[in-house]
Amino acid sequence: MKRISVTTTPFEGQKPGTSGLRKQVQVFQQPHYLENFVQSLFDSLEGFAGQTLVVGGDGRYHNRSAVQTILRMAAANGFGRVLVGRGGILSTPAASLVIRKYGAFGGIVLSASHNPGGPEGDFGIKYNIGNGGPAPERVTEAIYARSQAIDRYFTLAGADLPLDQLASHQLGETEVVVIDPVADYAELMESLFDFPAIRALLTSGAFRMRFDAMHAVTGPYAKEILEGRLQAPAGTVMNAIPLEDFGGGHPDPNLTYAEALVAEMFGPDAPDFGAASDGDGDRNMVLGRHFFVTPSDSLAVMAANADLVPGYRGRLKGIARSMPTSGAADKVAEVLGLPSFETPTGWKFFGNLLDAGMATLCGEESFGTSSDHVREKDGLWAVLYWLNVLAARGESVATILEGHWRRFGRHYYTRHDYEALPAEPAKGVMEQVSGTFASLPGTTLAGRRVTLADDFAYTDPVDGSTSTHQGLRVLFEDGSRIVYRLSGTGTVGATLRIYIERYEADPTLQGLDPQEALADLIAAARALCQLEQRTGQVEPTVIT
Ligand code: VG1
Ligand code: CO
């Protein structure tokens, strides 16, 4: 099979965001669009000749054809071997694991994560490096720079490969191996958690759980692990069949989009434990009976209970959280005498800390938690971690959280999203906030003194690289915070995220609804950015 060089011209805007390049499907379907990006990626990498590449995606619309395109291009560009998930499927954490386990040079994951799918939905592509984690900024910047100058890409002619059976195929000089997308992952999970204890809990008859796979990639993983290896009753996993359009749903595991699960968990005769994951399997939502666990609290509870979990007992080195994530995990780190780290939003910033053995658990407020077992966030891992803690403690989710707050204090927390705003007013909101920063410190907002107002910048403690403009922070004397960011994953207009937090040490004041507990700060946050005046909006589109 001969290598073909195809002449092309650059597309604008092939700039990876918080997690890869995400665009509407129609954009990706333009001739040469995907090819340009993939070739820009390969042109930015060095030393992969003869090496292994991992390829898989979340199964959304366009996944299958994109996988075939990438296989041809990987072969034409000289990779020695490509490991591809059966049916073109690999969850994001499973891809991370496969890259690590088989010593791959890197991997390509096709996903727009929690964004809706289908012909009218979104598609995405991200590149992970040899440690299994998202490409750092220097790589994504190089890809973007190359995409602006690209004039040719390499591919092979030939029919599509059959990817629905485990097999090995030859594509030019390259071996393409179709692997089981679930097996390695399930085996790793079994090595980290107390499966016998979880099995006993799930088969006891006294404990019921529901897992909502949202018709996305975790269906087969959850079926195999929860209903297979852990023998949870059939039907424990709902919406288990991955669909190209996620059944028309929005595969974002939060109180708004995982409606059916939330209705069940807050309804009569609710199960004891509920959980959901997103399009590509890296997010998790955890619920108890009539109880929602914020992702920030979830990270803190996991850290505080690590000694109950075989894979983590006595081996936490440090805890890292993204900047907008609440300080709940910091409190635990303080009490346990562990270092804590505050990174910009996006999993790529945890990679160095994990590689250097400085952090063991990491989390983001956006329903992402994980550890050093892979280099991505991991939805099902978090669910199994929780099940392990529940099995070991024999208490309800609510009891565990209430005890945690009594011990460490409660961080009331909320995130308000204003989705699909026109770009200019959204930019104006951010400029309005940063415009106040020179005069804000020392003044009083919502009855609290502002101690610091800045545009968050991060210097990686391992390689010294610096990332600026990572969100606007207003910090108060009593530890409260307001943070403003523009999303880097949306595909339509701009999405403004406002994150609000307040610490409450007094156990008698820890039982409020967060929206009430934070009402004065929420009002102050809206006023400070002139939200209504600039966007015409007051109420957010999504509250998490
Ligand atoms: C969002 C979240 C961020 C997360 C990112 C990717 O980014 O806020 O915490 O890492 O999505 O998650 P943004 O820029 O829209 O705020 V996923 O599950 O979409 O890969
Ligand atoms: Co995701």
Side-chain angles (χ1 to χ4, degrees):
M1 241 177 262
K2 228 178 127 261
R3 169 162 121 153
I4 308 167
S5 176
V6 180
T7 304
T8 188
T9 50
F11 286 93
E12 270 182 30
Q14 291 200 324
K15 191 177 172 60
T18 312
S19 177
L21 182 70
R22 290 188 195 173
K23 301 282 175 195
Q24 287 167 308
V25 165
Q26 286 104 320
V27 175
F28 268 102
Q29 284 175 325
Q30 299 171 87
H32 309 317
Y33 190 90
L34 175 68
E35 290 87 342
N36 271 21
F37 186 80
V38 172
Q39 189 65 51
S40 301
L41 162 65
F42 292 157
D43 287 349
S44 314
L45 304 175
E46 266 174 35
F48 59 78
Q51 303 277 313
T52 299
L53 181 73
V54 172
V55 178
D58 65 9
R60 68 178 59 220
Y61 182 79
H62 201 52
N63 192 75
R64 280 180 173 267
S65 87
V67 166
Q68 298 287 351
T69 301
I70 292 167
L71 292 178
R72 288 191 189 94
M73 290 185 66
N77 277 275
F79 277 93
R81 185 171 70 144
V82 182
L83 305 180
V84 57
R86 186 178 47 225
I89 296 286
L90 276 176
S91 75
T92 286
S96 182
L97 165 65
V98 171
I99 294 169
R100 296 168 66 75
K101 183 165 177 176
Y102 298 100
F105 185 87
I108 294 177
V109 183
L110 300 166
S111 171
S113 189
H114 57 286
N115 298 22
E120 308 299 321
D122 289 343
F123 193 73
I125 175 168
K126 56 184 176 177
Y127 178 67
N128 284 24
I129 58 175
N131 75 350
E137 281 186 327
R138 72 185 144 71
V139 177
T140 55
E141 276 157 19
I143 300 170
Y144 177 56
R146 178 64 193 148
S147 77
Q148 297 307 291
I150 191 163
D151 56 1
R152 55 94 189 97
Y153 64 82
F154 301 122
T155 187
L156 298 179
D160 284 358
L161 290 179
L163 299 179
D164 290 320
Q165 306 297 331
L166 302 184
S168 194
H169 305 280
Q170 203 62 34
L171 193 57
E173 305 286 292
T174 306
E175 184 191 16
V176 175
V177 187
V178 182
I179 61 166
D180 182 329
V182 177
D184 292 313
Y185 181 84
E187 187 187 303
L188 175 63
M189 293 302 116
E190 195 152 0
S191 76
L192 294 172
F193 301 112
D194 187 347
F195 269 39
I198 301 173
R199 195 177 297 121
L201 178 73
L202 291 173
T203 55
S204 66
F207 179 94
R208 277 185 306 133
M209 85 166 277
R210 290 287 262 168
F211 178 86
D212 188 352
M214 304 189 87
H215 287 303
V217 80
T218 43
Y221 294 84
K223 275 265 176 202
E224 163 65 20
I225 297 172
L226 297 174
E227 295 185 15
R229 298 182 186 219
L230 291 167
Q231 292 167 22
T236 295
V237 182
M238 58 200 272
N239 301 321
I241 305 199
L243 298 174
E244 287 201 329
D245 65 349
F246 308 117
H250 194 149
D252 197 352
N254 61 35
L255 294 176
T256 304
Y257 295 125
E259 311 156 319
L261 175 72
V262 170
E264 198 174 330
M265 294 306 299
F266 286 86
D269 195 28
D272 302 274
F273 182 61
S277 191
D278 71 333
D280 61 331
D282 58 357
R283 296 187 177 206
N284 74 90
M285 175 169 66
V286 166
L287 302 163
R289 181 183 294 132
H290 301 174
F291 199 95
F292 167 64
V293 183
T294 69
S296 298
D297 277 348
S298 178
L299 173 66
V301 169
M302 285 180 173
N305 289 279
D307 281 348
L308 302 175
V309 183
Y312 300 91
R313 188 169 296 145
R315 59 168 291 266
L316 293 196
K317 300 257 179 47
I319 307 167
R321 61 165 175 87
S322 68
M323 183 274 281
T325 304
S326 95
D330 301 9
K331 278 277 168 213
V332 176
E334 199 183 302
V335 172
L336 301 184
L338 295 171
S340 51
F341 301 91
E342 183 178 42
T343 59
T345 294
W347 210 262
K348 56 179 171 261
F349 294 102
F350 294 130
N352 280 346
L353 296 172
L354 292 164
D355 284 352
M358 294 164 77
T360 309
L361 296 179
C362 304
E364 293 193 282
E365 50 65 41
S366 54
F367 300 84
T369 18
S370 191
S371 82
D372 58 358
H373 69 292
V374 288
R375 293 292 180 275
E376 285 277 6
K377 54 190 193 271
D378 190 345
L380 207 45
W381 169 90
V383 174
L384 293 166
Y385 197 119
W386 264 95
L387 281 170
N388 195 144
V389 170
L390 291 168
R393 293 184 60 136
E395 292 171 327
S396 73
V397 172
T399 304
I400 290 176
L401 260 295
E402 284 153 11
H404 185 92
W405 294 334
R406 273 196 302 279
R407 181 170 173 208
F408 297 98
R410 177 171 184 186
H411 290 76
Y412 282 110
Y413 187 83
T414 192
R415 179 176 112 183
H416 288 193
D417 291 341
Y418 296 85
E419 296 176 318
L421 296 174
E424 279 311 307
K427 222 175 112 212
V429 161
M430 297 297 280
E431 284 166 3
Q432 160 63 26
V433 174
S434 53
T436 66
F437 279 5
S439 57
L440 209 53
T443 61
T444 298
L445 272 186
R448 299 167 173 84
R449 212 171 71 85
V450 176
T451 50
L452 183 97
D454 74 355
D455 188 344
F456 182 63
Y458 176 69
T459 300
D460 186 298
V462 178
D463 66 15
S465 60
T466 296
S467 305
T468 53
H469 303 302
Q470 297 297 327
L472 303 177
R473 311 189 287 179
V474 180
L475 311 190
F476 297 88
E477 199 164 35
D478 66 350
S480 302
R481 292 196 307 170
I482 300 172
V483 174
Y484 302 84
R485 269 186 75 248
L486 292 181
S487 159
T489 57
T491 58
V492 182
T495 292
L496 171 69
R497 307 200 193 286
I498 306 182
Y499 312 77
I500 296 144
E501 168 181 357
R502 171 168 83 76
Y503 180 63
E504 181 58 72
D506 181 349
T508 64
L509 299 174
Q510 289 172 350
L512 301 178
D513 174 335
Q515 302 307 316
E516 282 169 32
L518 298 168
D520 56 346
L521 283 163
I522 292 171
R526 290 175 184 171
L528 184 69
C529 72
Q530 298 183 342
L531 186 69
E532 186 168 13
Q533 200 173 323
R534 287 173 183 275
T535 69
Q537 306 228 14
V538 180
E539 293 308 319
T541 36
V542 178
I543 296 182
T544 49

Short mmCIF file of all heavy atoms in Angstrom, two decimals, residues 113-114 278 280-283 377, ligand 2:
data_model
loop_
_atom_site.label_atom_id
_atom_site.label_comp_id
_atom_site.label_asym_id
_atom_site.label_seq_id
_atom_site.Cartn_x
_atom_site.Cartn_y
_atom_site.Cartn_z
N SER A 113 -16.70 14.63 25.01
CA SER A 113 -17.02 14.44 26.43
C SER A 113 -18.50 14.61 26.73
O SER A 113 -19.32 13.87 26.22
CB SER A 113 -16.17 15.41 27.24
OG SER A 113 -16.30 15.12 28.59
N HIS A 114 -18.83 15.62 27.53
CA HIS A 114 -20.21 15.78 27.99
C HIS A 114 -21.06 16.56 26.98
O HIS A 114 -22.24 16.76 27.22
CB HIS A 114 -20.22 16.50 29.33
CG HIS A 114 -19.52 17.82 29.26
ND1 HIS A 114 -18.16 17.92 29.18
CD2 HIS A 114 -20.00 19.08 29.19
CE1 HIS A 114 -17.82 19.20 29.09
NE2 HIS A 114 -18.91 19.92 29.09
N ASP A 278 -20.13 10.49 32.21
CA ASP A 278 -20.41 11.33 31.04
C ASP A 278 -20.09 10.61 29.73
O ASP A 278 -19.79 9.41 29.72
CB ASP A 278 -19.65 12.65 31.14
CG ASP A 278 -18.15 12.47 30.94
OD1 ASP A 278 -17.65 11.38 31.23
OD2 ASP A 278 -17.48 13.42 30.49
N ASP A 280 -17.60 10.35 27.66
CA ASP A 280 -16.35 9.60 27.48
C ASP A 280 -15.88 8.89 28.75
O ASP A 280 -14.76 8.37 28.80
CB ASP A 280 -15.24 10.51 26.94
CG ASP A 280 -14.91 11.66 27.86
OD1 ASP A 280 -15.81 12.11 28.60
OD2 ASP A 280 -13.74 12.11 27.87
N GLY A 281 -16.72 8.92 29.80
CA GLY A 281 -16.43 8.08 30.97
C GLY A 281 -15.44 8.65 31.96
O GLY A 281 -14.98 7.93 32.84
N ASP A 282 -15.11 9.94 31.84
CA ASP A 282 -14.14 10.45 32.81
C ASP A 282 -14.78 11.23 33.96
O ASP A 282 -14.12 11.52 34.96
CB ASP A 282 -13.02 11.26 32.12
CG ASP A 282 -13.54 12.42 31.31
OD1 ASP A 282 -14.77 12.60 31.22
OD2 ASP A 282 -12.70 13.16 30.75
N ARG A 283 -16.06 11.59 33.83
CA ARG A 283 -16.71 12.32 34.92
C ARG A 283 -17.54 11.39 35.78
O ARG A 283 -17.94 10.31 35.33
CB ARG A 283 -17.64 13.40 34.36
CG ARG A 283 -16.92 14.46 33.60
CD ARG A 283 -17.87 15.58 33.21
NE ARG A 283 -17.10 16.62 32.54
CZ ARG A 283 -17.44 17.90 32.50
NH1 ARG A 283 -18.56 18.29 33.09
NH2 ARG A 283 -16.70 18.77 31.88
N LYS A 377 -9.06 11.89 34.41
CA LYS A 377 -10.07 11.67 35.42
C LYS A 377 -10.83 10.40 35.05
O LYS A 377 -10.81 9.98 33.90
CB LYS A 377 -10.96 12.89 35.61
CG LYS A 377 -11.62 13.44 34.37
CD LYS A 377 -12.24 14.78 34.73
CE LYS A 377 -13.18 15.29 33.68
NZ LYS A 377 -12.59 16.11 32.65
CO CO B 2 -15.55 13.80 29.88
#
